[in-house]
């Protein structure tokens, strides 16, 4: 209660400024943040300048889920035939623990090898189309790749994200973050799912701590590759009004708060999804493709999985033509399975190769025909290889100690083979490479210095190669 004699003293200008300074600062800060929010709502997939002149603009990643056997495909080891049926501990020496600890006898290659093309690359009879001179001489083999993990889920995360743990950005997301995309009507990272999502699930294609706009969008190789791609509204105008309202609400939220990359990514994803309603049907419309091109990819093959993977490869080429930065293909399900034959190796690997051989050879041939191979990096890899000794009597266990991957186009010197495993095809012994080196090389070919492509998260600058990785200069053109 005030004394009756008390009178409120008028506030001087000096007192007003002193007591209201923080308030005026808050008003100014709010205005600045609102402007920053409006300015930051830009397309995160807009093309960005590389660190240096790139050799490639796009990547097609042919993911061989499960772990192909290097000694049955591209890594010829005659010692396996000589010592077939012997105890591996006696002839190979000390063995590392295997995933299922079921070690059988030394198992020779189940298919014959021949040298192919002018390069003389060793190729098993599993790949009659890939072995053709005009295809095999475009390929650079890396026969000394290694992984840090022998279990599918950890190895899949490691191959895709450079980390064995769930929640890190995929390499496709990193490329989108670093370079953007050249097509605003399609995602920058597309996964063409043939039917088998790898162990580890969709996080193999995720954006992790990067904004959600960079995550992989999963398409199916069919007439409607994405659910709800056809609008359900009575008219396009009605749908556009709904999306405009949603956008206004989201942008209003941003204007009233601190900038939020996740909200900005959601706005961009809505807008991309709207534009995809036209772009995706155009992508899937193959009426402009000749019968000769469809036959090249295996559309007329008797094996259904060849047809499925052939469609995936053709769609990958069409996505490259439309400027999509990173396209990954997964293996078809149905009549085949992953490259994970712990038993019945001949049947399983036979079907796997029948699935991918003709479509991949067709893809390389078609890219070269259209003048796209020089600017498109094609990568073929599984998460690890397989042992040179049997699991049981007719399978092979996981082997992360030395396996084969290959690359073609996009600045790679075709007709090369770098690195070696030992005489058994068991462990890398010359020019040993790691998954981080594969990632560093892919980024390099697209004009990205892997040590400089970073994102601040959890108090440190994160990158795809972590604190590792060296460019495999031996395969560069």
């Amino acid at each position: 209660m005030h004394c009756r004699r008390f009178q409120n003293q008028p506030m001087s200008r000096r007192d007003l400024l002193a007591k209201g300074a923080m308030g005026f600062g808050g008003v100014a800060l709010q205005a600045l943040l609102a402007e920053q929010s409006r300015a930051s709502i830009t397309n995160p997939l807009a093309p960005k300048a590389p660190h240096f002149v790139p050799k490639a603009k796009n990547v097609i990643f042919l993911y061989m889920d499960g772990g192909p056997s290097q000694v049955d495909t591209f890594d010829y080891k005659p010692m396996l035939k000589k010592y077939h049926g012997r105890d591996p501990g006696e002839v190979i020496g000390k063995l590392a623990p295997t995933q299922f600890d079921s070690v059988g006898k030394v198992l020779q290659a189940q298919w014959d090898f021949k040298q192919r093309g002018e390069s003389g690359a060793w190729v098993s009879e599993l790949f009659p189309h890939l072995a053709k001179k005009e295809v095999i001489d475009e390929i650079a083999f890396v026969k000394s790749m290694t992984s840090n993990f022998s279990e599918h889920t950890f190895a899949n995360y490691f191959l895709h994200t450079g980390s064995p743990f769930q929640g890190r950005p995929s390499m496709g997301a990193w490329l989108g973050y670093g370079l953007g995309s050249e097509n605003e009507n399609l995602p920058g990272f597309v996964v063409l799912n043939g039917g088998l999502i790898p162990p580890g699930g969709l996080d193999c294609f995720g954006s992790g701590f990067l904004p959600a706009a960079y995550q992989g969008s999963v398409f199916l190789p069919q007439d409607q590759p994405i659910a709800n791609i056809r609008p359900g509204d009575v008219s396009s105008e009605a749908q556009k009004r709904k999306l405009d309202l949603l956008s206004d609400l989201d942008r209003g939220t941003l204007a009233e708060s601190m900038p939020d990359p996740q909200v900005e990514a959601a706005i961009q994803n809505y807008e991309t999804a709207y534009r995809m309603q036209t772009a995706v049907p155009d992508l899937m419309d193959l009426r402009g493709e000749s019968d000769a091109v469809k036959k090249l990819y295996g559309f007329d093959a008797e094996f259904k999985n060849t047809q499925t993977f052939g469609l995936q490869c053709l769609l990958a080429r069409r996505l490259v033509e439309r400027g999509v930065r990173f396209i990954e293909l997964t293996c078809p399900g149905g009549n085949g399975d992953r490259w994970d034959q712990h038993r019945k190796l001949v049947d399983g690997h036979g079907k796997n190769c029948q699935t991918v051989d003709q479509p991949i050879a067709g893809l390389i041939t078609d890219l070269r025909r259209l003048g796209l191979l020089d600017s498109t990096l094609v990568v073929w890899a599984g998460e690890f290889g397989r042992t040179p000794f049997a699991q049981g009597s007719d399978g092979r266990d996981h082997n992360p100690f030395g396996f084969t991957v290959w690359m073609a186009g996009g600045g790679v010197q075709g007709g090369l083979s770098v690195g070696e495993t030992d005489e058994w095809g068991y462990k890398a012994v010359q020019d040993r490479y790691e998954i981080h080196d594969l990632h560093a090389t892919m980024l390099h070919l697209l004009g990205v210095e892997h040590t400089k492509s970073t994102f601040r998260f959890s108090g440190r600058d994160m990158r795809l190669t972590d604190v590792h990785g060296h460019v495999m200069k031996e395969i560069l053109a």
Side-chain angles (χ1 to χ4, degrees):
M1 180 178 292
H2 293 299
C3 172
R4 291 182 181 180
R5 296 180 182 179
F6 178 80
Q7 294 182 357
N8 290 323
Q9 296 296 315
M11 183 178 293
S12 68
R13 182 174 63 179
R14 184 185 300 274
D15 291 338
L16 176 63
L17 291 174
K19 294 180 179 180
M22 295 303 294
F24 286 126
V27 171
L29 177 62
Q30 185 176 14
L32 287 171
L33 290 177
E35 290 299 320
Q36 184 178 349
S37 291
R38 284 190 288 272
S40 64
I41 305 175
T42 58
N43 181 4
L45 292 175
K48 302 169 188 174
H51 294 136
F52 49 86
V53 178
K55 295 292 183 68
K57 296 193 300 183
N58 315 87
V59 175
I60 297 176
F61 178 46
L62 305 168
Y63 173 53
M64 301 293 107
D65 185 355
S69 169
Q70 69 281 359
V71 295
D72 292 295
T73 53
F74 303 112
D75 198 5
Y76 177 53
K77 298 298 177 181
M79 288 287 281
L80 296 180
K81 185 175 183 179
K82 181 178 179 179
Y83 289 94
H84 176 71
R86 297 281 296 276
D87 183 346
E90 294 178 358
V91 295
I92 296 178
K94 184 178 180 180
L95 305 179
T98 59
Q99 181 70 19
F100 291 97
D101 197 24
S102 175
V103 178
K105 305 299 183 182
V106 172
L107 183 62
Q108 67 183 4
Q110 301 297 287
W111 294 269
D112 291 334
F113 277 74
K114 290 183 179 179
Q115 288 183 286
R116 303 288 188 172
E118 292 183 3
S119 62
W122 285 102
V123 184
S124 87
E125 60 184 341
L126 275 172
F127 293 97
H129 293 88
L130 210 63
K132 294 177 180 178
K133 174 185 177 299
E134 61 271 19
V135 179
I136 200 66
D137 285 342
E138 298 284 2
I139 291 174
F141 290 97
V142 180
K143 296 187 177 180
S144 53
M145 186 57 62
T146 64
S147 177
N148 295 355
F149 304 93
S150 61
E151 189 274 330
H152 286 297
T153 299
F154 290 131
N156 274 324
Y157 287 146
F158 193 52
L159 173 63
H160 283 85
T161 74
S163 168
F165 304 116
Q166 188 176 23
R168 291 289 295 270
S170 178
M171 50 184 162
W174 276 110
L175 277 176
Y177 166 68
L179 295 174
S181 181
E182 294 183 341
N183 188 328
E184 65 176 9
N185 299 325
L186 288 167
F189 174 15
V190 172
V191 179
L192 295 170
N193 175 26
L196 294 177
I197 293 294
L202 295 178
D203 271 352
C204 290
F205 321 126
S207 57
F209 45 72
L210 297 176
Y214 300 116
Q215 69 185 356
S217 296
V218 180
F219 287 18
L220 296 173
Q222 57 191 34
D223 290 340
Q224 291 195 63
I226 309 172
N228 304 314
I229 193 63
R230 294 177 181 170
D233 292 279
V234 294
S235 67
S236 59
E237 291 79 9
Q239 183 193 31
K240 187 66 169 63
R241 287 197 298 271
K242 291 180 181 179
L243 291 173
D244 288 344
L245 174 60
L246 186 62
S247 178
D248 288 343
L249 292 172
D250 286 338
R251 291 172 190 272
T253 300
L254 275 180
E256 295 174 359
S257 62
M258 295 289 288
D260 187 339
Q262 298 302 329
V263 175
E264 294 178 18
I267 294 173
Q268 178 61 34
N269 284 345
Y270 285 132
E271 294 175 350
T272 301
Y274 175 70
R275 294 191 294 269
M276 283 168 61
Q277 291 175 166
T278 300
V280 170
D282 176 69
L283 169 71
M284 302 303 299
D285 186 357
L286 304 182
R287 287 176 293 182
E289 303 290 348
S290 69
D291 291 340
V293 166
K294 293 176 182 178
K295 184 176 182 179
L296 180 68
Y297 283 90
F299 277 40
D300 61 345
E302 294 183 3
F303 191 42
K304 187 176 185 301
N305 276 17
T306 308
Q307 299 176 25
T308 300
F309 202 74
L311 176 57
Q312 290 174 256
C313 285
L314 178 55
L315 291 176
R317 187 217 81 197
R318 291 171 64 85
L319 286 166
V320 164
E321 289 178 306
R322 286 158 174 77
V324 173
R325 185 70 65 188
F326 192 96
I327 305 107
E328 177 168 348
L329 280 63
T330 72
C331 295
N335 296 324
D337 199 356
R338 296 178 169 89
W339 299 75
D340 191 29
Q341 277 74 52
H342 295 274
R343 55 189 296 271
K344 296 184 178 181
L345 174 71
V346 171
D347 178 69
H349 265 44
K351 288 179 178 177
N352 293 139
C353 288
Q354 189 178 358
T355 294
V356 306
D357 176 41
Q358 183 178 355
I360 293 175
L363 173 64
I364 292 175
T365 301
D366 204 21
L367 288 172
R368 186 179 60 245
R369 176 183 69 88
L370 295 170
L372 294 170
L373 187 58
D374 288 345
S375 61
T376 304
L377 178 63
V378 181
V379 181
W380 184 96
E383 65 267 40
F384 40 59
R386 307 205 82 81
T387 59
F389 43 84
Q391 178 179 354
S393 61
D394 61 350
R396 297 191 191 275
D397 208 342
H398 306 169
N399 177 24
F401 307 114
F403 57 100
T404 299
V405 304
W406 60 255
M407 308 168 82
V412 168
Q413 178 65 53
L416 291 182
S417 178
V418 301
E420 289 184 12
T421 53
D422 58 26
E423 57 189 354
W424 308 99
Y426 185 30
K427 297 181 179 181
V429 294
Q430 180 179 317
D431 296 330
R432 182 182 182 275
Y433 294 109
E434 301 178 344
I435 295 297
H436 296 301
D437 301 327
L438 176 65
H439 291 159
T441 305
M442 293 170 66
L443 290 171
H444 176 84
L445 288 168
L446 278 95
V448 177
E449 168 53 56
H450 71 102
T451 62
K452 296 180 180 179
S453 181
T454 63
F455 186 89
R456 193 73 176 175
F457 176 73
S458 193
R460 61 171 288 207
D461 289 335
M462 311 293 270
R463 69 185 207 224
L464 174 61
T465 52
D466 196 33
V467 296
H468 311 281
H470 298 88
V471 175
M472 297 185 288
K473 296 180 180 179
E474 295 83 358
I475 68 170
L476 304 183

